[in-house]
Amino acid sequence: GQDFVELTPLWKILAGVRYDWFDADYERVGPLTDYGRTDRVWSFRTGLLFQPTDEQSYYLSYGSSFNPSGELYALDPRGANTPPEKNYSYEAGAKWDLFEGNLSLQAVVYRSEKANERNTDPLITDVFLLSGRRHTDGIELEAAGRITPQWDVFGGASFLRARIDESINPNDVGKVPVNTPPYTASLWTTYRFLPYLRAGLGWEAVGKRYTSLANTTQLPAYDKWDAMVAYERQNYAVRLNLFNLFDETYYTGLYTAHALPGVTRSAQLTFQLKF
């Protein structure tokens, strides 16, 4: 249930509540034991919005959520006996629409907290310890605009500071969580040279990411470029996408013992038909 109420023309408030009944059963071939778990959890969401004009908005928000131990559709002895993790988010932001809608700017500062984080105790085989806690402080900046009637630009950047606050392993406290880059950024621009011909160029950057809580190994930072050219008519379009123009070596997925490389230099031709 959720309601958005206009208190005055300038002030609005959002309030919501959600109840989840999460019931998971994991069946295994005998003689292995089947596992099951049921969680019933309330989550909340609220926000305050201030709109002094149609072109600008400012807001504060708070929300909660949870992660059940059966969220990956598999259970083990620990997961079957462990309550959900809890998550909390605090956010403040602003949005401006300028130059008759030709430029949109957005800025957000936030904190995300994970409480009751699942930790594994090697001495206890049938239950996780909900003893962990971590937080992430972040800033997000976004811009989208039309420089000329033919030229569009979209860009954004995020800056993160993530830390582990509590853990069953005291050596992890103060370390950076796995797969949390200190920054990400992207920029994409398109230009329409002719009424039916459009080209685009994009850039993406990601900071280094640690692959273990010990922060001893990491995936390097990277940036890569993509491009696009498209011929678009009312009923059909032909589009050529070029990925990783300079054949940068980078990694998208990371695990404790291995990483997944990103796409090498490649091309994709797409034909779209509308009817």
Side-chain angles (χ1 to χ4, degrees):
Q2 182 169 286
D3 198 9
F4 188 67
V5 181
E6 182 179 288
L7 303 176
T8 72
L10 301 183
W11 294 92
K12 303 173 178 66
I13 190 169
L14 172 72
V17 61
R18 171 173 169 160
Y19 179 74
D20 284 273
W21 184 330
F22 188 91
D23 189 4
D25 294 299
Y26 186 47
E27 299 178 359
R28 304 196 299 174
V29 177
L32 300 177
T33 304
D34 295 340
Y35 296 113
R37 177 164 185 87
T38 300
D39 292 303
R40 301 175 180 87
V41 183
W42 289 94
S43 302
F44 303 94
R45 182 185 182 193
T46 184
L48 181 65
L49 179 67
F50 176 59
Q51 291 181 301
T53 68
D54 292 337
E55 293 77 25
Q56 53 182 321
S57 302
Y58 306 89
Y59 72 90
L60 297 171
S61 70
Y62 164 80
S64 63
S65 61
F66 73 100
N67 298 82
S69 55
E71 62 186 343
L72 299 180
Y73 303 100
L75 290 169
D76 58 13
R78 286 191 174 97
N81 295 318
T82 304
E85 299 174 311
K86 300 295 182 65
N87 310 293
Y88 308 95
S89 62
Y90 311 86
E91 189 172 309
K95 183 177 180 180
W96 304 271
D97 293 317
L98 308 174
F99 305 113
E100 298 181 348
N102 287 316
L103 176 62
S104 177
L105 301 175
Q106 183 170 318
V108 177
V109 295
Y110 65 89
R111 165 168 283 212
S112 296
E113 296 181 355
K114 179 182 286 292
N116 291 348
E117 186 178 38
R118 292 189 287 266
N119 285 179
T120 301
D121 188 339
L123 301 179
I124 303 177
T125 60
D126 60 350
V127 66
F128 284 104
L129 294 179
L130 296 180
S131 60
R133 178 182 290 271
R134 67 178 64 184
H135 75 274
T136 301
D137 296 323
I139 299 176
E140 292 186 3
L141 305 173
E142 294 183 6
R146 182 175 295 110
I147 298 177
T148 70
Q150 297 80 28
W151 189 6
D152 295 327
V153 178
F154 310 88
S158 297
F159 303 93
L160 304 176
R161 185 184 183 277
R163 292 294 183 270
I164 296 173
D165 302 310
E166 298 177 14
S167 174
I168 190 174
N169 184 355
N171 294 325
D172 295 339
V173 176
K175 298 295 181 62
V176 179
V178 171
N179 198 23
T180 309
Y183 67 86
T184 62
S186 64
L187 181 66
W188 179 257
T189 181
T190 62
Y191 191 87
R192 191 173 296 277
F193 293 92
L194 298 172
Y196 307 115
L197 183 62
R198 186 165 58 99
L201 183 66
W203 169 76
E204 177 186 342
V206 177
K208 68 179 182 181
R209 292 158 291 162
Y210 288 109
T211 63
S212 67
L213 291 179
N215 290 178
T216 54
T217 56
Q218 66 186 43
L219 297 183
Y222 72 86
D223 65 284
K224 68 182 185 71
W225 293 82
D226 303 319
M228 178 273 296
V229 61
Y231 183 78
E232 302 168 329
R233 302 301 294 260
Q234 183 176 358
N235 297 324
Y236 69 91
V238 180
R239 186 174 294 105
L240 176 64
N241 289 90
L242 303 174
F243 303 107
N244 198 0
L245 286 176
F246 303 106
D247 205 20
E248 174 76 12
T249 299
Y250 68 101
Y251 302 91
T252 56
L254 75 163
Y255 301 89
T256 302
H258 68 282
L260 299 180
V263 176
T264 58
R265 184 189 296 120
S266 57
Q268 177 180 327
L269 182 64
T270 305
F271 178 75
Q272 182 180 18
L273 180 64
K274 303 177 182 179
F275 57 89

